[in-house]
Amino acid sequence: MAYRLVALSIDGALLQSNGRINKSTKDAIDYALKKNVSVCLYSSREYSAVRKVAKALKIDSALVAHQGAYIASEPDKPLYVKRILEENTFELVQFLESFDCQITLENEKFSVSNKAKKSTLVKRNVWQRTQKLLYSQYFVESLTEHLLEEQISPLKINVTFSQKQTAEDAAKAMRNIYDDVSIIMKDDYKMEITALGVSKWNGILYLAEQLGINRSEIAVIGSAKDDLEAVQDAGIGIAMGNADSKVKEAAQWVTRSNDENGVGYVIKELLRHQRTSVIN
């Protein structure tokens, strides 16, 4: 089978534990691009962070960011955007602030967080220069009060709880109340909330459709729990050696870990006998 798109997760796959990219990984991505195979980075991270990684790898294709809620190849020129409605955002925040948790409303250019009840965070505004973008991260005493003054329709809501049981109770309650958002449990204490239908896999599929690539021609390399759908449904799903156990079970191929050059190894093995694609 010939693969025309390699979708590569950033965290737990592309990046090593120290946050760096192995040189052999860069070589393997260059190898794929020379064979006219598109390489797509996907992540739950904000767009500016994904773009920074893509630039380091000289990848100029569209990027799937914010858990799949935002797809773009150029800043301010998204191919796809799906936000949580303002009214849902307000109600969700109002509900969540009754718990001991930190909530972050995330958009493509900024994020705003509350101060968790037991948090030692101080109110502050942080500007980070990323490429030609300024990504603003700021904190307020109460997000509910903030939203009364400034309406926000975020791409994603990140929530960190102080206790596992609290996270489970909150997730169960929200799933019973809201049928137009998706709730993703990241681990025992963290969750991400997006508009219904948003996922990493749906983002990859949307991009593939724009490129005229069939599902069977997509190779996905993943690691985290929220990579499971993409690894399971792709033409070939590849799990990292350090991947979540369920991701490994769903994969057709388990490669080496992110600290053992798993990405570089599997890309070259996957495409070694594949002829250079002809782009129409």
mmCIF file of all heavy atoms in Angstrom, residues 20-48:
data_model
loop_
_atom_site.group_PDB
_atom_site.id
_atom_site.type_symbol
_atom_site.label_atom_id
_atom_site.label_comp_id
_atom_site.label_asym_id
_atom_site.label_seq_id
_atom_site.Cartn_x
_atom_site.Cartn_y
_atom_site.Cartn_z
ATOM 1 N N ARG A 20 13.292 17.876 22.741
ATOM 2 C CA ARG A 20 14.049 18.103 21.514
ATOM 3 C C ARG A 20 13.640 17.131 20.405
ATOM 4 O O ARG A 20 12.960 16.142 20.647
ATOM 5 C CB ARG A 20 15.548 17.978 21.795
ATOM 6 C CG ARG A 20 16.073 19.022 22.779
ATOM 7 C CD ARG A 20 17.560 18.868 23.008
ATOM 8 N NE ARG A 20 18.069 19.881 23.921
ATOM 9 C CZ ARG A 20 19.337 19.954 24.329
ATOM 10 N NH1 ARG A 20 20.222 19.061 23.889
ATOM 11 N NH2 ARG A 20 19.716 20.908 25.164
ATOM 12 N N ILE A 21 14.103 17.440 19.192
ATOM 13 C CA ILE A 21 13.828 16.584 18.040
ATOM 14 C C ILE A 21 15.123 15.931 17.599
ATOM 15 O O ILE A 21 16.125 16.613 17.347
ATOM 16 C CB ILE A 21 13.233 17.407 16.873
ATOM 17 C CG1 ILE A 21 11.961 18.120 17.313
ATOM 18 C CG2 ILE A 21 12.938 16.501 15.682
ATOM 19 C CD1 ILE A 21 11.414 19.097 16.275
ATOM 20 N N ASN A 22 15.113 14.623 17.497
ATOM 21 C CA ASN A 22 16.292 13.880 17.080
ATOM 22 C C ASN A 22 16.637 14.209 15.629
ATOM 23 O O ASN A 22 15.754 14.348 14.789
ATOM 24 C CB ASN A 22 16.013 12.372 17.220
ATOM 25 C CG ASN A 22 17.266 11.536 17.080
ATOM 26 O OD1 ASN A 22 17.893 11.517 16.026
ATOM 27 N ND2 ASN A 22 17.628 10.836 18.150
ATOM 28 N N LYS A 23 17.922 14.341 15.324
ATOM 29 C CA LYS A 23 18.345 14.666 13.964
ATOM 30 C C LYS A 23 17.864 13.615 12.959
ATOM 31 O O LYS A 23 17.481 13.938 11.832
ATOM 32 C CB LYS A 23 19.863 14.788 13.891
ATOM 33 C CG LYS A 23 20.357 15.194 12.498
ATOM 34 C CD LYS A 23 21.866 15.281 12.444
ATOM 35 C CE LYS A 23 22.325 15.735 11.055
ATOM 36 N NZ LYS A 23 21.884 14.819 9.979
ATOM 37 N N SER A 24 17.874 12.347 13.363
ATOM 38 C CA SER A 24 17.425 11.298 12.462
ATOM 39 C C SER A 24 15.931 11.419 12.148
ATOM 40 O O SER A 24 15.476 10.995 11.089
ATOM 41 C CB SER A 24 17.730 9.921 13.046
ATOM 42 O OG SER A 24 17.123 9.772 14.303
ATOM 43 N N THR A 25 15.184 12.017 13.074
ATOM 44 C CA THR A 25 13.763 12.272 12.819
ATOM 45 C C THR A 25 13.620 13.327 11.730
ATOM 46 O O THR A 25 12.801 13.201 10.819
ATOM 47 C CB THR A 25 13.058 12.746 14.107
ATOM 48 O OG1 THR A 25 13.134 11.713 15.088
ATOM 49 C CG2 THR A 25 11.602 13.081 13.839
ATOM 50 N N LYS A 26 14.432 14.370 11.821
ATOM 51 C CA LYS A 26 14.417 15.412 10.791
ATOM 52 C C LYS A 26 14.790 14.817 9.433
ATOM 53 O O LYS A 26 14.180 15.139 8.419
ATOM 54 C CB LYS A 26 15.404 16.529 11.161
ATOM 55 C CG LYS A 26 15.048 17.297 12.420
ATOM 56 C CD LYS A 26 16.083 18.377 12.707
ATOM 57 C CE LYS A 26 15.747 19.143 13.970
ATOM 58 N NZ LYS A 26 16.755 20.188 14.284
ATOM 59 N N ASP A 27 15.789 13.941 9.420
ATOM 60 C CA ASP A 27 16.217 13.300 8.172
ATOM 61 C C ASP A 27 15.095 12.451 7.582
ATOM 62 O O ASP A 27 14.886 12.432 6.356
ATOM 63 C CB ASP A 27 17.454 12.432 8.417
ATOM 64 C CG ASP A 27 18.690 13.237 8.768
ATOM 65 O OD1 ASP A 27 18.700 14.454 8.481
ATOM 66 O OD2 ASP A 27 19.635 12.652 9.337
ATOM 67 N N ALA A 28 14.373 11.736 8.448
ATOM 68 C CA ALA A 28 13.288 10.869 7.984
ATOM 69 C C ALA A 28 12.144 11.681 7.403
ATOM 70 O O ALA A 28 11.539 11.292 6.391
ATOM 71 C CB ALA A 28 12.784 9.997 9.128
ATOM 72 N N ILE A 29 11.834 12.821 8.015
ATOM 73 C CA ILE A 29 10.766 13.679 7.494
ATOM 74 C C ILE A 29 11.181 14.254 6.149
ATOM 75 O O ILE A 29 10.379 14.322 5.205
ATOM 76 C CB ILE A 29 10.428 14.793 8.503
ATOM 77 C CG1 ILE A 29 9.723 14.179 9.720
ATOM 78 C CG2 ILE A 29 9.560 15.878 7.867
ATOM 79 C CD1 ILE A 29 9.463 15.140 10.847
ATOM 80 N N ASP A 30 12.445 14.645 6.028
ATOM 81 C CA ASP A 30 12.955 15.134 4.743
ATOM 82 C C ASP A 30 12.887 14.028 3.693
ATOM 83 O O ASP A 30 12.561 14.268 2.528
ATOM 84 C CB ASP A 30 14.404 15.613 4.922
ATOM 85 C CG ASP A 30 14.960 16.250 3.657
ATOM 86 O OD1 ASP A 30 14.350 17.210 3.170
ATOM 87 O OD2 ASP A 30 15.992 15.773 3.161
ATOM 88 N N TYR A 31 13.154 12.803 4.095
ATOM 89 C CA TYR A 31 13.080 11.632 3.225
ATOM 90 C C TYR A 31 11.653 11.456 2.700
ATOM 91 O O TYR A 31 11.436 11.207 1.503
ATOM 92 C CB TYR A 31 13.510 10.414 4.036
ATOM 93 C CG TYR A 31 13.420 9.079 3.330
ATOM 94 C CD1 TYR A 31 14.376 8.691 2.397
ATOM 95 C CD2 TYR A 31 12.400 8.176 3.644
ATOM 96 C CE1 TYR A 31 14.319 7.442 1.777
ATOM 97 C CE2 TYR A 31 12.332 6.938 3.027
ATOM 98 C CZ TYR A 31 13.289 6.576 2.095
ATOM 99 O OH TYR A 31 13.220 5.351 1.479
ATOM 100 N N ALA A 32 10.670 11.606 3.591
ATOM 101 C CA ALA A 32 9.259 11.485 3.193
ATOM 102 C C ALA A 32 8.868 12.591 2.222
ATOM 103 O O ALA A 32 8.211 12.342 1.198
ATOM 104 C CB ALA A 32 8.368 11.523 4.426
ATOM 105 N N LEU A 33 9.292 13.815 2.518
ATOM 106 C CA LEU A 33 8.938 14.944 1.662
ATOM 107 C C LEU A 33 9.552 14.803 0.265
ATOM 108 O O LEU A 33 8.930 15.169 -0.735
ATOM 109 C CB LEU A 33 9.400 16.254 2.310
ATOM 110 C CG LEU A 33 8.701 16.627 3.633
ATOM 111 C CD1 LEU A 33 9.334 17.866 4.248
ATOM 112 C CD2 LEU A 33 7.212 16.857 3.399
ATOM 113 N N LYS A 34 10.754 14.239 0.195
ATOM 114 C CA LYS A 34 11.402 14.038 -1.103
ATOM 115 C C LYS A 34 10.678 12.981 -1.933
ATOM 116 O O LYS A 34 10.791 12.959 -3.154
ATOM 117 C CB LYS A 34 12.870 13.651 -0.898
ATOM 118 C CG LYS A 34 13.743 14.829 -0.479
ATOM 119 C CD LYS A 34 15.182 14.416 -0.266
ATOM 120 C CE LYS A 34 16.036 15.622 0.110
ATOM 121 N NZ LYS A 34 17.451 15.245 0.396
ATOM 122 N N LYS A 35 9.944 12.104 -1.268
ATOM 123 C CA LYS A 35 9.136 11.111 -1.964
ATOM 124 C C LYS A 35 7.744 11.654 -2.276
ATOM 125 O O LYS A 35 6.848 10.911 -2.701
ATOM 126 C CB LYS A 35 9.019 9.839 -1.114
ATOM 127 C CG LYS A 35 10.255 8.952 -1.155
ATOM 128 C CD LYS A 35 10.046 7.694 -0.332
ATOM 129 C CE LYS A 35 11.174 6.697 -0.559
ATOM 130 N NZ LYS A 35 11.027 5.920 -1.805
ATOM 131 N N ASN A 36 7.567 12.967 -2.071
ATOM 132 C CA ASN A 36 6.277 13.646 -2.305
ATOM 133 C C ASN A 36 5.165 13.115 -1.405
ATOM 134 O O ASN A 36 3.988 13.117 -1.776
ATOM 135 C CB ASN A 36 5.851 13.539 -3.778
ATOM 136 C CG ASN A 36 6.736 14.366 -4.684
ATOM 137 O OD1 ASN A 36 7.319 15.360 -4.264
ATOM 138 N ND2 ASN A 36 6.864 13.945 -5.933
ATOM 139 N N VAL A 37 5.552 12.652 -0.218
ATOM 140 C CA VAL A 37 4.581 12.252 0.797
ATOM 141 C C VAL A 37 4.360 13.452 1.713
ATOM 142 O O VAL A 37 5.316 14.018 2.250
ATOM 143 C CB VAL A 37 5.092 11.047 1.621
ATOM 144 C CG1 VAL A 37 4.120 10.718 2.750
ATOM 145 C CG2 VAL A 37 5.289 9.839 0.712
ATOM 146 N N SER A 38 3.122 13.876 1.874
ATOM 147 C CA SER A 38 2.821 15.005 2.743
ATOM 148 C C SER A 38 3.012 14.601 4.197
ATOM 149 O O SER A 38 2.713 13.466 4.584
ATOM 150 C CB SER A 38 1.378 15.476 2.535
ATOM 151 O OG SER A 38 1.188 15.950 1.216
ATOM 152 N N VAL A 39 3.519 15.521 5.001
ATOM 153 C CA VAL A 39 3.693 15.286 6.436
ATOM 154 C C VAL A 39 2.895 16.323 7.186
ATOM 155 O O VAL A 39 3.051 17.527 6.970
ATOM 156 C CB VAL A 39 5.178 15.356 6.848
ATOM 157 C CG1 VAL A 39 5.313 15.167 8.361
ATOM 158 C CG2 VAL A 39 6.002 14.306 6.105
ATOM 159 N N CYS A 40 2.018 15.850 8.053
ATOM 160 C CA CYS A 40 1.136 16.732 8.818
ATOM 161 C C CYS A 40 1.415 16.561 10.306
ATOM 162 O O CYS A 40 1.452 15.429 10.809
ATOM 163 C CB CYS A 40 -0.322 16.390 8.506
ATOM 164 S SG CYS A 40 -1.499 16.925 9.755
ATOM 165 N N LEU A 41 1.634 17.659 11.001
ATOM 166 C CA LEU A 41 1.768 17.613 12.456
ATOM 167 C C LEU A 41 0.395 17.846 13.072
ATOM 168 O O LEU A 41 -0.357 18.718 12.639
ATOM 169 C CB LEU A 41 2.734 18.687 12.945
ATOM 170 C CG LEU A 41 4.163 18.651 12.389
ATOM 171 C CD1 LEU A 41 5.027 19.676 13.105
ATOM 172 C CD2 LEU A 41 4.774 17.264 12.502
ATOM 173 N N TYR A 42 0.066 17.052 14.084
ATOM 174 C CA TYR A 42 -1.203 17.270 14.778
ATOM 175 C C TYR A 42 -0.965 17.273 16.277
ATOM 176 O O TYR A 42 -0.067 16.589 16.777
ATOM 177 C CB TYR A 42 -2.241 16.219 14.368
ATOM 178 C CG TYR A 42 -2.010 14.811 14.876
ATOM 179 C CD1 TYR A 42 -2.564 14.384 16.073
ATOM 180 C CD2 TYR A 42 -1.250 13.900 14.135
ATOM 181 C CE1 TYR A 42 -2.369 13.083 16.533
ATOM 182 C CE2 TYR A 42 -1.061 12.602 14.583
ATOM 183 C CZ TYR A 42 -1.619 12.195 15.786
ATOM 184 O OH TYR A 42 -1.422 10.917 16.237
ATOM 185 N N SER A 43 -1.771 18.069 16.998
ATOM 186 C CA SER A 43 -1.525 18.229 18.426
ATOM 187 C C SER A 43 -2.720 18.881 19.107
ATOM 188 O O SER A 43 -3.559 19.512 18.458
ATOM 189 C CB SER A 43 -0.279 19.107 18.628
ATOM 190 O OG SER A 43 -0.034 19.351 19.990
ATOM 191 N N SER A 44 -2.755 18.755 20.423
ATOM 192 C CA SER A 44 -3.741 19.506 21.203
ATOM 193 C C SER A 44 -3.175 20.874 21.577
ATOM 194 O O SER A 44 -3.872 21.711 22.134
ATOM 195 C CB SER A 44 -4.123 18.737 22.476
ATOM 196 O OG SER A 44 -2.997 18.565 23.309
ATOM 197 N N ARG A 45 -1.919 21.118 21.250
ATOM 198 C CA ARG A 45 -1.277 22.407 21.548
ATOM 199 C C ARG A 45 -1.871 23.530 20.701
ATOM 200 O O ARG A 45 -2.508 23.294 19.681
ATOM 201 C CB ARG A 45 0.227 22.336 21.256
ATOM 202 C CG ARG A 45 1.011 21.393 22.137
ATOM 203 C CD ARG A 45 2.491 21.565 21.867
ATOM 204 N NE ARG A 45 3.323 20.652 22.624
ATOM 205 C CZ ARG A 45 4.601 20.868 22.906
ATOM 206 N NH1 ARG A 45 5.198 21.978 22.478
ATOM 207 N NH2 ARG A 45 5.301 19.987 23.590
ATOM 208 N N GLU A 46 -1.581 24.771 21.120
ATOM 209 C CA GLU A 46 -2.044 25.918 20.347
ATOM 210 C C GLU A 46 -1.295 26.000 19.019
ATOM 211 O O GLU A 46 -0.182 25.471 18.891
ATOM 212 C CB GLU A 46 -1.879 27.227 21.135
ATOM 213 C CG GLU A 46 -0.465 27.713 21.310
ATOM 214 C CD GLU A 46 0.212 27.157 22.550
ATOM 215 O OE1 GLU A 46 -0.343 26.241 23.196
ATOM 216 O OE2 GLU A 46 1.306 27.661 22.882
ATOM 217 N N TYR A 47 -1.904 26.690 18.059
ATOM 218 C CA TYR A 47 -1.371 26.737 16.701
ATOM 219 C C TYR A 47 0.057 27.284 16.652
ATOM 220 O O TYR A 47 0.908 26.748 15.929
ATOM 221 C CB TYR A 47 -2.279 27.579 15.803
ATOM 222 C CG TYR A 47 -1.717 27.784 14.417
ATOM 223 C CD1 TYR A 47 -1.716 26.752 13.489
ATOM 224 C CD2 TYR A 47 -1.158 29.005 14.047
ATOM 225 C CE1 TYR A 47 -1.179 26.923 12.227
ATOM 226 C CE2 TYR A 47 -0.614 29.188 12.781
ATOM 227 C CZ TYR A 47 -0.625 28.146 11.875
ATOM 228 O OH TYR A 47 -0.093 28.328 10.630
ATOM 229 N N SER A 48 0.342 28.348 17.400
ATOM 230 C CA SER A 48 1.668 28.958 17.330
ATOM 231 C C SER A 48 2.759 27.988 17.771
ATOM 232 O O SER A 48 3.859 27.983 17.215
ATOM 233 C CB SER A 48 1.726 30.230 18.183
ATOM 234 O OG SER A 48 1.403 29.936 19.530
#
